[in-house]
PDB file of all heavy atoms in Angstrom:
ATOM      1  N   VAL X   1       0.861  -1.178   0.000  1.00 92.00           N
ATOM      2  CA  VAL X   1       0.000   0.000   0.000  1.00 92.00           C
ATOM      3  C   VAL X   1       0.901   1.232   0.000  1.00 92.00           C
ATOM      4  O   VAL X   1       1.935   1.246   0.655  1.00 92.00           O
ATOM      5  CB  VAL X   1      -0.966   0.044   1.215  1.00 92.00           C
ATOM      6  CG1 VAL X   1      -2.024  -1.028   1.126  1.00 92.00           C
ATOM      7  CG2 VAL X   1      -0.224  -0.066   2.523  1.00 92.00           C
ATOM      8  N   ALA X   2       0.503   2.238  -0.777  1.00 92.00           N
ATOM      9  CA  ALA X   2       1.287   3.463  -0.864  1.00 92.00           C
ATOM     10  C   ALA X   2       0.885   4.403   0.268  1.00 92.00           C
ATOM     11  O   ALA X   2      -0.275   4.793   0.373  1.00 92.00           O
ATOM     12  CB  ALA X   2       1.054   4.135  -2.220  1.00 92.00           C
ATOM     13  N   VAL X   3       1.840   4.746   1.111  1.00 95.00           N
ATOM     14  CA  VAL X   3       1.602   5.649   2.228  1.00 95.00           C
ATOM     15  C   VAL X   3       2.058   7.049   1.808  1.00 95.00           C
ATOM     16  O   VAL X   3       3.211   7.248   1.450  1.00 95.00           O
ATOM     17  CB  VAL X   3       2.364   5.192   3.490  1.00 95.00           C
ATOM     18  CG1 VAL X   3       2.115   6.155   4.644  1.00 95.00           C
ATOM     19  CG2 VAL X   3       1.957   3.779   3.875  1.00 95.00           C
ATOM     20  N   ASP X   4       1.126   8.002   1.854  1.00 97.00           N
ATOM     21  CA  ASP X   4       1.439   9.366   1.442  1.00 97.00           C
ATOM     22  C   ASP X   4       2.005  10.208   2.586  1.00 97.00           C
ATOM     23  O   ASP X   4       2.842  11.072   2.367  1.00 97.00           O
ATOM     24  CB  ASP X   4       0.171  10.026   0.883  1.00 97.00           C
ATOM     25  CG  ASP X   4      -0.357   9.266  -0.320  1.00 97.00           C
ATOM     26  OD1 ASP X   4       0.257   9.356  -1.393  1.00 97.00           O
ATOM     27  OD2 ASP X   4      -1.371   8.547  -0.173  1.00 97.00           O
ATOM     28  N   TYR X   5       1.520   9.978   3.789  1.00 98.00           N
ATOM     29  CA  TYR X   5       1.970  10.716   4.967  1.00 98.00           C
ATOM     30  C   TYR X   5       2.233   9.704   6.071  1.00 98.00           C
ATOM     31  O   TYR X   5       1.319   9.005   6.490  1.00 98.00           O
ATOM     32  CB  TYR X   5       0.904  11.727   5.419  1.00 98.00           C
ATOM     33  CG  TYR X   5       0.491  12.689   4.332  1.00 98.00           C
ATOM     34  CD1 TYR X   5      -0.691  12.486   3.622  1.00 98.00           C
ATOM     35  CD2 TYR X   5       1.286  13.789   4.016  1.00 98.00           C
ATOM     36  CE1 TYR X   5      -1.073  13.361   2.618  1.00 98.00           C
ATOM     37  CE2 TYR X   5       0.899  14.668   3.009  1.00 98.00           C
ATOM     38  CZ  TYR X   5      -0.272  14.451   2.316  1.00 98.00           C
ATOM     39  OH  TYR X   5      -0.655  15.319   1.321  1.00 98.00           O
ATOM     40  N   ASN X   6       3.489   9.630   6.516  1.00 97.00           N
ATOM     41  CA  ASN X   6       3.899   8.593   7.453  1.00 97.00           C
ATOM     42  C   ASN X   6       4.503   9.227   8.703  1.00 97.00           C
ATOM     43  O   ASN X   6       5.413  10.046   8.610  1.00 97.00           O
ATOM     44  CB  ASN X   6       4.930   7.698   6.775  1.00 97.00           C
ATOM     45  CG  ASN X   6       5.172   6.421   7.529  1.00 97.00           C
ATOM     46  OD1 ASN X   6       4.763   6.261   8.675  1.00 97.00           O
ATOM     47  ND2 ASN X   6       5.857   5.498   6.885  1.00 97.00           N
ATOM     48  N   GLY X   7       3.977   8.835   9.861  1.00 97.00           N
ATOM     49  CA  GLY X   7       4.503   9.340  11.117  1.00 97.00           C
ATOM     50  C   GLY X   7       5.843   8.722  11.461  1.00 97.00           C
ATOM     51  O   GLY X   7       6.876   9.391  11.428  1.00 97.00           O
ATOM     52  N   PHE X   8       5.840   7.445  11.746  1.00 97.00           N
ATOM     53  CA  PHE X   8       7.054   6.744  12.159  1.00 97.00           C
ATOM     54  C   PHE X   8       7.074   5.345  11.564  1.00 97.00           C
ATOM     55  O   PHE X   8       6.054   4.668  11.524  1.00 97.00           O
ATOM     56  CB  PHE X   8       7.089   6.581  13.691  1.00 97.00           C
ATOM     57  CG  PHE X   8       7.052   7.868  14.459  1.00 97.00           C
ATOM     58  CD1 PHE X   8       5.840   8.394  14.895  1.00 97.00           C
ATOM     59  CD2 PHE X   8       8.216   8.554  14.761  1.00 97.00           C
ATOM     60  CE1 PHE X   8       5.788   9.569  15.620  1.00 97.00           C
ATOM     61  CE2 PHE X   8       8.177   9.740  15.481  1.00 97.00           C
ATOM     62  CZ  PHE X   8       6.962  10.254  15.920  1.00 97.00           C
ATOM     63  N   VAL X   9       8.251   4.904  11.146  1.00 96.00           N
ATOM     64  CA  VAL X   9       8.459   3.513  10.781  1.00 96.00           C
ATOM     65  C   VAL X   9       8.928   2.823  12.058  1.00 96.00           C
ATOM     66  O   VAL X   9       9.851   3.301  12.722  1.00 96.00           O
ATOM     67  CB  VAL X   9       9.505   3.363   9.656  1.00 96.00           C
ATOM     68  CG1 VAL X   9       9.830   1.903   9.406  1.00 96.00           C
ATOM     69  CG2 VAL X   9       8.999   4.028   8.381  1.00 96.00           C
ATOM     70  N   VAL X  10       8.251   1.733  12.412  1.00 95.00           N
ATOM     71  CA  VAL X  10       8.575   1.039  13.656  1.00 95.00           C
ATOM     72  C   VAL X  10       8.937  -0.415  13.384  1.00 95.00           C
ATOM     73  O   VAL X  10       8.511  -0.988  12.381  1.00 95.00           O
ATOM     74  CB  VAL X  10       7.400   1.123  14.668  1.00 95.00           C
ATOM     75  CG1 VAL X  10       7.169   2.552  15.116  1.00 95.00           C
ATOM     76  CG2 VAL X  10       6.131   0.517  14.110  1.00 95.00           C
ATOM     77  N   PRO X  11       9.713  -1.011  14.286  1.00 92.00           N
ATOM     78  CA  PRO X  11      10.059  -2.424  14.117  1.00 92.00           C
ATOM     79  C   PRO X  11       8.849  -3.308  14.380  1.00 92.00           C
ATOM     80  O   PRO X  11       7.826  -2.854  14.896  1.00 92.00           O
ATOM     81  CB  PRO X  11      11.149  -2.645  15.181  1.00 92.00           C
ATOM     82  CG  PRO X  11      10.931  -1.586  16.201  1.00 92.00           C
ATOM     83  CD  PRO X  11      10.343  -0.409  15.466  1.00 92.00           C
ATOM     84  N   ASN X  12       8.989  -4.565  14.059  1.00 90.00           N
ATOM     85  CA  ASN X  12       7.902  -5.531  14.206  1.00 90.00           C
ATOM     86  C   ASN X  12       7.733  -5.921  15.676  1.00 90.00           C
ATOM     87  O   ASN X  12       8.079  -7.021  16.084  1.00 90.00           O
ATOM     88  CB  ASN X  12       8.171  -6.752  13.335  1.00 90.00           C
ATOM     89  CG  ASN X  12       7.003  -7.696  13.322  1.00 90.00           C
ATOM     90  OD1 ASN X  12       5.888  -7.326  13.685  1.00 90.00           O
ATOM     91  ND2 ASN X  12       7.247  -8.931  12.928  1.00 90.00           N
ATOM     92  N   LYS X  13       7.205  -4.986  16.453  1.00 90.00           N
ATOM     93  CA  LYS X  13       6.893  -5.224  17.861  1.00 90.00           C
ATOM     94  C   LYS X  13       5.430  -4.862  18.070  1.00 90.00           C
ATOM     95  O   LYS X  13       4.881  -4.042  17.352  1.00 90.00           O
ATOM     96  CB  LYS X  13       7.762  -4.356  18.769  1.00 90.00           C
ATOM     97  CG  LYS X  13       9.215  -4.729  18.731  1.00 90.00           C
ATOM     98  CD  LYS X  13       9.998  -3.950  19.753  1.00 90.00           C
ATOM     99  CE  LYS X  13      11.439  -4.419  19.756  1.00 90.00           C
ATOM    100  NZ  LYS X  13      12.189  -3.792  20.834  1.00 90.00           N
ATOM    101  N   PHE X  14       4.816  -5.472  19.086  1.00 89.00           N
ATOM    102  CA  PHE X  14       3.421  -5.177  19.392  1.00 89.00           C
ATOM    103  C   PHE X  14       3.367  -3.862  20.159  1.00 89.00           C
ATOM    104  O   PHE X  14       3.872  -3.770  21.279  1.00 89.00           O
ATOM    105  CB  PHE X  14       2.800  -6.317  20.205  1.00 89.00           C
ATOM    106  CG  PHE X  14       1.316  -6.172  20.337  1.00 89.00           C
ATOM    107  CD1 PHE X  14       0.471  -6.616  19.338  1.00 89.00           C
ATOM    108  CD2 PHE X  14       0.770  -5.551  21.447  1.00 89.00           C
ATOM    109  CE1 PHE X  14      -0.901  -6.465  19.449  1.00 89.00           C
ATOM    110  CE2 PHE X  14      -0.597  -5.394  21.573  1.00 89.00           C
ATOM    111  CZ  PHE X  14      -1.434  -5.859  20.567  1.00 89.00           C
ATOM    112  N   VAL X  15       2.769  -2.838  19.547  1.00 93.00           N
ATOM    113  CA  VAL X  15       2.760  -1.499  20.139  1.00 93.00           C
ATOM    114  C   VAL X  15       1.379  -1.151  20.682  1.00 93.00           C
ATOM    115  O   VAL X  15       0.355  -1.653  20.202  1.00 93.00           O
ATOM    116  CB  VAL X  15       3.208  -0.431  19.119  1.00 93.00           C
ATOM    117  CG1 VAL X  15       4.676  -0.601  18.772  1.00 93.00           C
ATOM    118  CG2 VAL X  15       2.360  -0.464  17.867  1.00 93.00           C
ATOM    119  N   ILE X  16       1.394  -0.281  21.690  1.00 94.00           N
ATOM    120  CA  ILE X  16       0.161   0.178  22.323  1.00 94.00           C
ATOM    121  C   ILE X  16       0.247   1.684  22.514  1.00 94.00           C
ATOM    122  O   ILE X  16       1.305   2.285  22.389  1.00 94.00           O
ATOM    123  CB  ILE X  16      -0.069  -0.503  23.696  1.00 94.00           C
ATOM    124  CG1 ILE X  16       1.147  -0.275  24.598  1.00 94.00           C
ATOM    125  CG2 ILE X  16      -0.392  -1.969  23.522  1.00 94.00           C
ATOM    126  CD1 ILE X  16       0.929  -0.657  26.037  1.00 94.00           C
ATOM    127  N   GLY X  17      -0.892   2.270  22.833  1.00 94.00           N
ATOM    128  CA  GLY X  17      -0.948   3.701  23.107  1.00 94.00           C
ATOM    129  C   GLY X  17      -1.361   4.485  21.884  1.00 94.00           C
ATOM    130  O   GLY X  17      -1.310   3.999  20.758  1.00 94.00           O
ATOM    131  N   TYR X  18      -1.820   5.696  22.131  1.00 93.00           N
ATOM    132  CA  TYR X  18      -2.250   6.594  21.071  1.00 93.00           C
ATOM    133  C   TYR X  18      -3.265   5.935  20.138  1.00 93.00           C
ATOM    134  O   TYR X  18      -3.216   6.071  18.929  1.00 93.00           O
ATOM    135  CB  TYR X  18      -1.054   7.149  20.290  1.00 93.00           C
ATOM    136  CG  TYR X  18      -1.176   8.639  20.121  1.00 93.00           C
ATOM    137  CD1 TYR X  18      -0.622   9.505  21.054  1.00 93.00           C
ATOM    138  CD2 TYR X  18      -1.890   9.184  19.076  1.00 93.00           C
ATOM    139  CE1 TYR X  18      -0.764  10.868  20.933  1.00 93.00           C
ATOM    140  CE2 TYR X  18      -2.033  10.551  18.950  1.00 93.00           C
ATOM    141  CZ  TYR X  18      -1.480  11.376  19.875  1.00 93.00           C
ATOM    142  OH  TYR X  18      -1.635  12.727  19.753  1.00 93.00           O
ATOM    143  N   GLY X  19      -4.168   5.173  20.744  1.00 90.00           N
ATOM    144  CA  GLY X  19      -5.234   4.517  19.993  1.00 90.00           C
ATOM    145  C   GLY X  19      -5.045   3.026  19.821  1.00 90.00           C
ATOM    146  O   GLY X  19      -6.002   2.292  19.617  1.00 90.00           O
ATOM    147  N   MET X  20      -3.813   2.569  19.889  1.00 90.00           N
ATOM    148  CA  MET X  20      -3.553   1.141  19.715  1.00 90.00           C
ATOM    149  C   MET X  20      -3.689   0.426  21.057  1.00 90.00           C
ATOM    150  O   MET X  20      -3.276   0.960  22.083  1.00 90.00           O
ATOM    151  CB  MET X  20      -2.175   0.934  19.100  1.00 90.00           C
ATOM    152  CG  MET X  20      -2.167   1.407  17.645  1.00 90.00           C
ATOM    153  SD  MET X  20      -0.554   1.821  17.014  1.00 90.00           S
ATOM    154  CE  MET X  20      -0.290   3.425  17.753  1.00 90.00           C
ATOM    155  N   ASP X  21      -4.264  -0.765  21.013  1.00 88.00           N
ATOM    156  CA  ASP X  21      -4.625  -1.418  22.263  1.00 88.00           C
ATOM    157  C   ASP X  21      -4.043  -2.810  22.405  1.00 88.00           C
ATOM    158  O   ASP X  21      -3.556  -3.408  21.446  1.00 88.00           O
ATOM    159  CB  ASP X  21      -6.151  -1.526  22.351  1.00 88.00           C
ATOM    160  CG  ASP X  21      -6.709  -2.550  21.368  1.00 88.00           C
ATOM    161  OD1 ASP X  21      -6.620  -2.326  20.146  1.00 88.00           O
ATOM    162  OD2 ASP X  21      -7.234  -3.579  21.828  1.00 88.00           O
ATOM    163  N   TYR X  22      -4.141  -3.291  23.623  1.00 87.00           N
ATOM    164  CA  TYR X  22      -3.910  -4.690  23.959  1.00 87.00           C
ATOM    165  C   TYR X  22      -5.145  -5.123  24.729  1.00 87.00           C
ATOM    166  O   TYR X  22      -5.401  -4.622  25.822  1.00 87.00           O
ATOM    167  CB  TYR X  22      -2.652  -4.855  24.807  1.00 87.00           C
ATOM    168  CG  TYR X  22      -2.469  -6.254  25.341  1.00 87.00           C
ATOM    169  CD1 TYR X  22      -2.252  -7.325  24.465  1.00 87.00           C
ATOM    170  CD2 TYR X  22      -2.519  -6.510  26.698  1.00 87.00           C
ATOM    171  CE1 TYR X  22      -2.093  -8.612  24.949  1.00 87.00           C
ATOM    172  CE2 TYR X  22      -2.354  -7.797  27.192  1.00 87.00           C
ATOM    173  CZ  TYR X  22      -2.142  -8.838  26.316  1.00 87.00           C
ATOM    174  OH  TYR X  22      -1.990 -10.117  26.793  1.00 87.00           O
ATOM    175  N   GLU X  23      -5.961  -5.982  24.124  1.00 85.00           N
ATOM    176  CA  GLU X  23      -7.225  -6.424  24.715  1.00 85.00           C
ATOM    177  C   GLU X  23      -8.086  -5.232  25.148  1.00 85.00           C
ATOM    178  O   GLU X  23      -8.602  -5.189  26.257  1.00 85.00           O
ATOM    179  CB  GLU X  23      -6.963  -7.383  25.876  1.00 85.00           C
ATOM    180  CG  GLU X  23      -6.284  -8.661  25.420  1.00 85.00           C
ATOM    181  CD  GLU X  23      -5.967  -9.626  26.546  1.00 85.00           C
ATOM    182  OE1 GLU X  23      -6.068  -9.252  27.734  1.00 85.00           O
ATOM    183  OE2 GLU X  23      -5.616 -10.770  26.226  1.00 85.00           O
ATOM    184  N   GLN X  24      -8.184  -4.265  24.269  1.00 86.00           N
ATOM    185  CA  GLN X  24      -8.983  -3.038  24.437  1.00 86.00           C
ATOM    186  C   GLN X  24      -8.453  -2.097  25.531  1.00 86.00           C
ATOM    187  O   GLN X  24      -9.094  -1.104  25.846  1.00 86.00           O
ATOM    188  CB  GLN X  24     -10.462  -3.368  24.693  1.00 86.00           C
ATOM    189  CG  GLN X  24     -11.137  -4.085  23.547  1.00 86.00           C
ATOM    190  CD  GLN X  24     -11.100  -3.282  22.248  1.00 86.00           C
ATOM    191  OE1 GLN X  24     -11.175  -2.065  22.233  1.00 86.00           O
ATOM    192  NE2 GLN X  24     -10.981  -3.980  21.127  1.00 86.00           N
ATOM    193  N   ARG X  25      -7.292  -2.357  26.063  1.00 89.00           N
ATOM    194  CA  ARG X  25      -6.698  -1.478  27.064  1.00 89.00           C
ATOM    195  C   ARG X  25      -5.516  -0.718  26.454  1.00 89.00           C
ATOM    196  O   ARG X  25      -4.973  -1.124  25.439  1.00 89.00           O
ATOM    197  CB  ARG X  25      -6.208  -2.279  28.275  1.00 89.00           C
ATOM    198  CG  ARG X  25      -7.355  -2.965  29.012  1.00 89.00           C
ATOM    199  CD  ARG X  25      -6.869  -3.755  30.189  1.00 89.00           C
ATOM    200  NE  ARG X  25      -5.966  -4.796  29.705  1.00 89.00           N
ATOM    201  CZ  ARG X  25      -4.991  -5.342  30.420  1.00 89.00           C
ATOM    202  NH1 ARG X  25      -4.773  -4.968  31.643  1.00 89.00           N
ATOM    203  NH2 ARG X  25      -4.226  -6.279  29.911  1.00 89.00           N
ATOM    204  N   TYR X  26      -5.154   0.367  27.099  1.00 92.00           N
ATOM    205  CA  TYR X  26      -3.976   1.189  26.788  1.00 92.00           C
ATOM    206  C   TYR X  26      -4.142   2.132  25.604  1.00 92.00           C
ATOM    207  O   TYR X  26      -3.218   2.842  25.246  1.00 92.00           O
ATOM    208  CB  TYR X  26      -2.717   0.329  26.565  1.00 92.00           C
ATOM    209  CG  TYR X  26      -2.405  -0.599  27.707  1.00 92.00           C
ATOM    210  CD1 TYR X  26      -2.445  -1.982  27.531  1.00 92.00           C
ATOM    211  CD2 TYR X  26      -2.082  -0.092  28.959  1.00 92.00           C
ATOM    212  CE1 TYR X  26      -2.165  -2.844  28.584  1.00 92.00           C
ATOM    213  CE2 TYR X  26      -1.803  -0.948  30.018  1.00 92.00           C
ATOM    214  CZ  TYR X  26      -1.844  -2.319  29.829  1.00 92.00           C
ATOM    215  OH  TYR X  26      -1.568  -3.164  30.861  1.00 92.00           O
ATOM    216  N   ARG X  27      -5.309   2.187  24.970  1.00 91.00           N
ATOM    217  CA  ARG X  27      -5.510   3.132  23.855  1.00 91.00           C
ATOM    218  C   ARG X  27      -5.234   4.568  24.286  1.00 91.00           C
ATOM    219  O   ARG X  27      -4.784   5.374  23.499  1.00 91.00           O
ATOM    220  CB  ARG X  27      -6.947   3.059  23.338  1.00 91.00           C
ATOM    221  CG  ARG X  27      -7.293   1.818  22.568  1.00 91.00           C
ATOM    222  CD  ARG X  27      -8.703   1.967  21.965  1.00 91.00           C
ATOM    223  NE  ARG X  27      -9.226   0.703  21.514  1.00 91.00           N
ATOM    224  CZ  ARG X  27      -8.945   0.143  20.337  1.00 91.00           C
ATOM    225  NH1 ARG X  27      -8.139   0.744  19.498  1.00 91.00           N
ATOM    226  NH2 ARG X  27      -9.481  -1.014  20.001  1.00 91.00           N
ATOM    227  N   ASN X  28      -5.553   4.880  25.540  1.00 93.00           N
ATOM    228  CA  ASN X  28      -5.488   6.254  26.014  1.00 93.00           C
ATOM    229  C   ASN X  28      -4.096   6.706  26.440  1.00 93.00           C
ATOM    230  O   ASN X  28      -3.928   7.853  26.871  1.00 93.00           O
ATOM    231  CB  ASN X  28      -6.465   6.459  27.179  1.00 93.00           C
ATOM    232  CG  ASN X  28      -6.141   5.572  28.359  1.00 93.00           C
ATOM    233  OD1 ASN X  28      -5.788   4.399  28.189  1.00 93.00           O
ATOM    234  ND2 ASN X  28      -6.275   6.116  29.554  1.00 93.00           N
ATOM    235  N   LEU X  29      -3.074   5.879  26.295  1.00 94.00           N
ATOM    236  CA  LEU X  29      -1.722   6.329  26.606  1.00 94.00           C
ATOM    237  C   LEU X  29      -1.333   7.432  25.629  1.00 94.00           C
ATOM    238  O   LEU X  29      -1.581   7.307  24.428  1.00 94.00           O
ATOM    239  CB  LEU X  29      -0.724   5.176  26.508  1.00 94.00           C
ATOM    240  CG  LEU X  29      -0.895   4.034  27.508  1.00 94.00           C
ATOM    241  CD1 LEU X  29       0.110   2.921  27.207  1.00 94.00           C
ATOM    242  CD2 LEU X  29      -0.754   4.527  28.938  1.00 94.00           C
ATOM    243  N   PRO X  30      -0.696   8.513  26.100  1.00 94.00           N
ATOM    244  CA  PRO X  30      -0.344   9.627  25.221  1.00 94.00           C
ATOM    245  C   PRO X  30       0.957   9.415  24.445  1.00 94.00           C
ATOM    246  O   PRO X  30       1.453  10.328  23.799  1.00 94.00           O
ATOM    247  CB  PRO X  30      -0.221  10.795  26.192  1.00 94.00           C
ATOM    248  CG  PRO X  30       0.242  10.170  27.461  1.00 94.00           C
ATOM    249  CD  PRO X  30      -0.439   8.809  27.505  1.00 94.00           C
TER     250      PRO X  30
END
């Protein structure tokens, strides 16, 4: 997929915060 605006390239790790969750938790981390 062509990404036009990209924040950060990250390694293949399970990330949380800023909307991303683990079992619906941690989305609200800033």
Side-chain angles (χ1 to χ4, degrees):
V1 291
V3 179
D4 300 287
Y5 304 100
N6 194 347
F8 301 93
V9 173
V10 294
N12 187 17
K13 293 186 176 186
F14 190 84
V15 292
I16 56 169
Y18 227 91
M20 290 157 283
D21 71 293
Y22 172 65
E23 296 178 349
Q24 297 301 325
R25 296 180 299 154
Y26 305 116
R27 288 187 195 277
N28 61 320
L29 295 176

